[in-house]
Amino acid sequence: MRQGAGHDLMNGLRPLPERGRADADAFAAIVAADQPVVLRGQKADWPAVAAAGQGGEAVARYIAQFDRGAPVQVMVGPAAINGRFFYRDDWAGFNFTREQVPIRALLGELLRLADTPEAPALYAGSAPTGEHLPGWAEANPLDLPLPDAVARVWIGNATRVATHYDGSANLACVVAGKRRFLLFPPDQLPNLYIGPLDRTMAGQPASLVDPDAPDLKRYPRYAEALRHAMVAELGPGDAIYMPALWWHNIQAQGPLNVLVNYWSERPGGTSPFVAMVHALMAVRDLPARERAVWRAWFDHYVFNDEAARAADYLPPAVRGVLGAAAPSRTERIRQFLLRALAGPGG
């Protein structure tokens, strides 16, 4: 692809829908609509955002006052990767290393490198503020209905996070610097060329396509994904709501970039992704006739709109794993799976 073609493709994308600040009722309606939305100025009144308006050193001082020394995991990549954390060319590992350092030390290094043209890429992500920055959430409150959400901080310089999905709804608030969000609907999975499912950079499987330099000869279906993509650039105080399972690529800009996000946690910590991976072993490679039979089982007990009522003809006391969702049923299923995976005598 010719130089600059990736930026030409990006310039032709649809903008993400936007609105101003949302109160609790308006945000609840946004969640119910199940579509991504940019909320301009949603957290413009945060003290952290006010500090960011005074420059990098000011916001670094503001954040450092909450640090109690608990180390965060920092991804460190050489300048040659141009901020894009990814697999190595030989697929034997990744193009970055990981280090454990306190947030205060990370902030100091980012300030030191601020004027360095060939600075390494540094990025610490998903650090719960209660553990790493106690007092942050009280000083910079969410004030929106996201059940069981925990504030998590992401700090780095000019970096690019590969296109991935989150299993839970996500509200992300920019504190310092700018971030570009590129979103794809969940049904674009076949067009994003997802990498290994069990060897990932940061937990979730990610697209192999570089949005800033897409190789459409190698990944031709990505052109179709771009037809459905939406993009927005957020600054300090802006927020974005992303429903669960939407694919998103995030580019952080500037020498010191800070974001705080909140995931609406899934009850019980269950993962449909893990169930799908198990199905790769148990179902995918069966003969076609048997797969068709098991598809009917899955539809009957899992995917059908009436699946939750499939065992209503049984007395509640004997429905077992088919019972209504509850912590006791979750534990029953967990124990059943542990016995089944252990095999005979397990």
mmCIF file with all atom_site columns, all heavy atoms in Angstrom, residues 112-123:
data_model
loop_
_atom_site.group_PDB
_atom_site.id
_atom_site.type_symbol
_atom_site.label_atom_id
_atom_site.label_alt_id
_atom_site.label_comp_id
_atom_site.label_asym_id
_atom_site.label_entity_id
_atom_site.label_seq_id
_atom_site.pdbx_PDB_ins_code
_atom_site.Cartn_x
_atom_site.Cartn_y
_atom_site.Cartn_z
_atom_site.occupancy
_atom_site.B_iso_or_equiv
_atom_site.pdbx_formal_charge
_atom_site.auth_seq_id
_atom_site.auth_comp_id
_atom_site.auth_asym_id
_atom_site.auth_atom_id
_atom_site.pdbx_PDB_model_num
ATOM 1  N N   . ARG A 1 112 ? 10.629 12.889 31.621 1.00 0.00 ? 112 ARG A N   1
ATOM 2  C CA  . ARG A 1 112 ? 12.028 12.962 31.176 1.00 0.00 ? 112 ARG A CA  1
ATOM 3  C C   . ARG A 1 112 ? 12.144 12.766 29.676 1.00 0.00 ? 112 ARG A C   1
ATOM 4  O O   . ARG A 1 112 ? 12.973 13.400 29.010 1.00 0.00 ? 112 ARG A O   1
ATOM 5  C CB  . ARG A 1 112 ? 12.854 11.895 31.901 1.00 0.00 ? 112 ARG A CB  1
ATOM 6  C CG  . ARG A 1 112 ? 14.362 11.996 31.634 1.00 0.00 ? 112 ARG A CG  1
ATOM 7  C CD  . ARG A 1 112 ? 15.099 10.864 32.301 1.00 0.00 ? 112 ARG A CD  1
ATOM 8  N NE  . ARG A 1 112 ? 14.869 9.594  31.646 1.00 0.00 ? 112 ARG A NE  1
ATOM 9  C CZ  . ARG A 1 112 ? 15.503 9.186  30.538 1.00 0.00 ? 112 ARG A CZ  1
ATOM 10 N NH1 . ARG A 1 112 ? 16.403 9.969  29.950 1.00 0.00 ? 112 ARG A NH1 1
ATOM 11 N NH2 . ARG A 1 112 ? 15.239 8.014  30.010 1.00 0.00 ? 112 ARG A NH2 1
ATOM 12 N N   . LEU A 1 113 ? 11.286 11.920 29.112 1.00 0.00 ? 113 LEU A N   1
ATOM 13 C CA  . LEU A 1 113 ? 11.344 11.604 27.682 1.00 0.00 ? 113 LEU A CA  1
ATOM 14 C C   . LEU A 1 113 ? 10.485 12.534 26.825 1.00 0.00 ? 113 LEU A C   1
ATOM 15 O O   . LEU A 1 113 ? 10.439 12.378 25.605 1.00 0.00 ? 113 LEU A O   1
ATOM 16 C CB  . LEU A 1 113 ? 10.876 10.164 27.453 1.00 0.00 ? 113 LEU A CB  1
ATOM 17 C CG  . LEU A 1 113 ? 11.746 9.058  28.050 1.00 0.00 ? 113 LEU A CG  1
ATOM 18 C CD1 . LEU A 1 113 ? 11.021 7.720  27.952 1.00 0.00 ? 113 LEU A CD1 1
ATOM 19 C CD2 . LEU A 1 113 ? 13.094 8.988  27.333 1.00 0.00 ? 113 LEU A CD2 1
ATOM 20 N N   . ALA A 1 114 ? 9.824  13.500 27.452 1.00 0.00 ? 114 ALA A N   1
ATOM 21 C CA  . ALA A 1 114 ? 8.824  14.304 26.739 1.00 0.00 ? 114 ALA A CA  1
ATOM 22 C C   . ALA A 1 114 ? 9.365  14.982 25.494 1.00 0.00 ? 114 ALA A C   1
ATOM 23 O O   . ALA A 1 114 ? 8.660  15.103 24.484 1.00 0.00 ? 114 ALA A O   1
ATOM 24 C CB  . ALA A 1 114 ? 8.219  15.340 27.685 1.00 0.00 ? 114 ALA A CB  1
ATOM 25 N N   . ASP A 1 115 ? 10.602 15.414 25.524 1.00 0.00 ? 115 ASP A N   1
ATOM 26 C CA  . ASP A 1 115 ? 11.166 16.132 24.378 1.00 0.00 ? 115 ASP A CA  1
ATOM 27 C C   . ASP A 1 115 ? 12.162 15.276 23.586 1.00 0.00 ? 115 ASP A C   1
ATOM 28 O O   . ASP A 1 115 ? 12.927 15.801 22.780 1.00 0.00 ? 115 ASP A O   1
ATOM 29 C CB  . ASP A 1 115 ? 11.860 17.411 24.865 1.00 0.00 ? 115 ASP A CB  1
ATOM 30 C CG  . ASP A 1 115 ? 10.889 18.386 25.499 1.00 0.00 ? 115 ASP A CG  1
ATOM 31 O OD1 . ASP A 1 115 ? 9.756  18.499 24.989 1.00 0.00 ? 115 ASP A OD1 1
ATOM 32 O OD2 . ASP A 1 115 ? 11.252 19.018 26.513 1.00 0.00 ? 115 ASP A OD2 1
ATOM 33 N N   . THR A 1 116 ? 12.115 13.968 23.802 1.00 0.00 ? 116 THR A N   1
ATOM 34 C CA  . THR A 1 116 ? 13.025 13.053 23.101 1.00 0.00 ? 116 THR A CA  1
ATOM 35 C C   . THR A 1 116 ? 12.374 12.582 21.815 1.00 0.00 ? 116 THR A C   1
ATOM 36 O O   . THR A 1 116 ? 11.328 11.920 21.851 1.00 0.00 ? 116 THR A O   1
ATOM 37 C CB  . THR A 1 116 ? 13.362 11.835 23.986 1.00 0.00 ? 116 THR A CB  1
ATOM 38 O OG1 . THR A 1 116 ? 13.934 12.301 25.216 1.00 0.00 ? 116 THR A OG1 1
ATOM 39 C CG2 . THR A 1 116 ? 14.328 10.912 23.285 1.00 0.00 ? 116 THR A CG2 1
ATOM 40 N N   . PRO A 1 117 ? 12.954 12.910 20.648 1.00 0.00 ? 117 PRO A N   1
ATOM 41 C CA  . PRO A 1 117 ? 12.323 12.537 19.368 1.00 0.00 ? 117 PRO A CA  1
ATOM 42 C C   . PRO A 1 117 ? 12.151 11.027 19.205 1.00 0.00 ? 117 PRO A C   1
ATOM 43 O O   . PRO A 1 117 ? 11.139 10.575 18.680 1.00 0.00 ? 117 PRO A O   1
ATOM 44 C CB  . PRO A 1 117 ? 13.283 13.108 18.318 1.00 0.00 ? 117 PRO A CB  1
ATOM 45 C CG  . PRO A 1 117 ? 14.056 14.176 19.029 1.00 0.00 ? 117 PRO A CG  1
ATOM 46 C CD  . PRO A 1 117 ? 14.175 13.708 20.440 1.00 0.00 ? 117 PRO A CD  1
ATOM 47 N N   . GLU A 1 118 ? 13.133 10.233 19.621 1.00 0.00 ? 118 GLU A N   1
ATOM 48 C CA  . GLU A 1 118 ? 13.077 8.786  19.446 1.00 0.00 ? 118 GLU A CA  1
ATOM 49 C C   . GLU A 1 118 ? 12.833 8.103  20.787 1.00 0.00 ? 118 GLU A C   1
ATOM 50 O O   . GLU A 1 118 ? 13.553 7.173  21.179 1.00 0.00 ? 118 GLU A O   1
ATOM 51 C CB  . GLU A 1 118 ? 14.384 8.285  18.816 1.00 0.00 ? 118 GLU A CB  1
ATOM 52 C CG  . GLU A 1 118 ? 14.660 8.846  17.427 1.00 0.00 ? 118 GLU A CG  1
ATOM 53 C CD  . GLU A 1 118 ? 13.612 8.378  16.421 1.00 0.00 ? 118 GLU A CD  1
ATOM 54 O OE1 . GLU A 1 118 ? 13.207 7.207  16.503 1.00 0.00 ? 118 GLU A OE1 1
ATOM 55 O OE2 . GLU A 1 118 ? 13.203 9.190  15.569 1.00 0.00 ? 118 GLU A OE2 1
ATOM 56 N N   . ALA A 1 119 ? 11.794 8.514  21.473 1.00 0.00 ? 119 ALA A N   1
ATOM 57 C CA  . ALA A 1 119 ? 11.502 7.951  22.791 1.00 0.00 ? 119 ALA A CA  1
ATOM 58 C C   . ALA A 1 119 ? 10.934 6.546  22.661 1.00 0.00 ? 119 ALA A C   1
ATOM 59 O O   . ALA A 1 119 ? 10.203 6.239  21.709 1.00 0.00 ? 119 ALA A O   1
ATOM 60 C CB  . ALA A 1 119 ? 10.511 8.834  23.533 1.00 0.00 ? 119 ALA A CB  1
ATOM 61 N N   . PRO A 1 120 ? 11.248 5.664  23.599 1.00 0.00 ? 120 PRO A N   1
ATOM 62 C CA  . PRO A 1 120 ? 10.598 4.353  23.616 1.00 0.00 ? 120 PRO A CA  1
ATOM 63 C C   . PRO A 1 120 ? 9.114  4.500  23.926 1.00 0.00 ? 120 PRO A C   1
ATOM 64 O O   . PRO A 1 120 ? 8.676  5.514  24.480 1.00 0.00 ? 120 PRO A O   1
ATOM 65 C CB  . PRO A 1 120 ? 11.336 3.613  24.737 1.00 0.00 ? 120 PRO A CB  1
ATOM 66 C CG  . PRO A 1 120 ? 11.841 4.697  25.633 1.00 0.00 ? 120 PRO A CG  1
ATOM 67 C CD  . PRO A 1 120 ? 12.180 5.847  24.725 1.00 0.00 ? 120 PRO A CD  1
ATOM 68 N N   . ALA A 1 121 ? 8.342  3.495  23.546 1.00 0.00 ? 121 ALA A N   1
ATOM 69 C CA  . ALA A 1 121 ? 6.910  3.479  23.835 1.00 0.00 ? 121 ALA A CA  1
ATOM 70 C C   . ALA A 1 121 ? 6.699  2.896  25.230 1.00 0.00 ? 121 ALA A C   1
ATOM 71 O O   . ALA A 1 121 ? 7.172  1.797  25.524 1.00 0.00 ? 121 ALA A O   1
ATOM 72 C CB  . ALA A 1 121 ? 6.170  2.652  22.796 1.00 0.00 ? 121 ALA A CB  1
ATOM 73 N N   . LEU A 1 122 ? 5.989  3.634  26.086 1.00 0.00 ? 122 LEU A N   1
ATOM 74 C CA  . LEU A 1 122 ? 5.715  3.197  27.453 1.00 0.00 ? 122 LEU A CA  1
ATOM 75 C C   . LEU A 1 122 ? 4.213  3.209  27.686 1.00 0.00 ? 122 LEU A C   1
ATOM 76 O O   . LEU A 1 122 ? 3.535  4.183  27.340 1.00 0.00 ? 122 LEU A O   1
ATOM 77 C CB  . LEU A 1 122 ? 6.397  4.121  28.467 1.00 0.00 ? 122 LEU A CB  1
ATOM 78 C CG  . LEU A 1 122 ? 7.905  4.324  28.349 1.00 0.00 ? 122 LEU A CG  1
ATOM 79 C CD1 . LEU A 1 122 ? 8.392  5.317  29.398 1.00 0.00 ? 122 LEU A CD1 1
ATOM 80 C CD2 . LEU A 1 122 ? 8.638  2.996  28.496 1.00 0.00 ? 122 LEU A CD2 1
ATOM 81 N N   . TYR A 1 123 ? 3.701  2.141  28.298 1.00 0.00 ? 123 TYR A N   1
ATOM 82 C CA  . TYR A 1 123 ? 2.253  2.077  28.496 1.00 0.00 ? 123 TYR A CA  1
ATOM 83 C C   . TYR A 1 123 ? 1.916  1.170  29.666 1.00 0.00 ? 123 TYR A C   1
ATOM 84 O O   . TYR A 1 123 ? 2.288  -0.007 29.683 1.00 0.00 ? 123 TYR A O   1
ATOM 85 C CB  . TYR A 1 123 ? 1.581  1.548  27.229 1.00 0.00 ? 123 TYR A CB  1
ATOM 86 C CG  . TYR A 1 123 ? 0.090  1.773  27.167 1.00 0.00 ? 123 TYR A CG  1
ATOM 87 C CD1 . TYR A 1 123 ? -0.453 3.025  27.394 1.00 0.00 ? 123 TYR A CD1 1
ATOM 88 C CD2 . TYR A 1 123 ? -0.771 0.731  26.850 1.00 0.00 ? 123 TYR A CD2 1
ATOM 89 C CE1 . TYR A 1 123 ? -1.814 3.249  27.314 1.00 0.00 ? 123 TYR A CE1 1
ATOM 90 C CE2 . TYR A 1 123 ? -2.148 0.936  26.763 1.00 0.00 ? 123 TYR A CE2 1
ATOM 91 C CZ  . TYR A 1 123 ? -2.661 2.202  26.993 1.00 0.00 ? 123 TYR A CZ  1
ATOM 92 O OH  . TYR A 1 123 ? -4.013 2.424  26.915 1.00 0.00 ? 123 TYR A OH  1
#
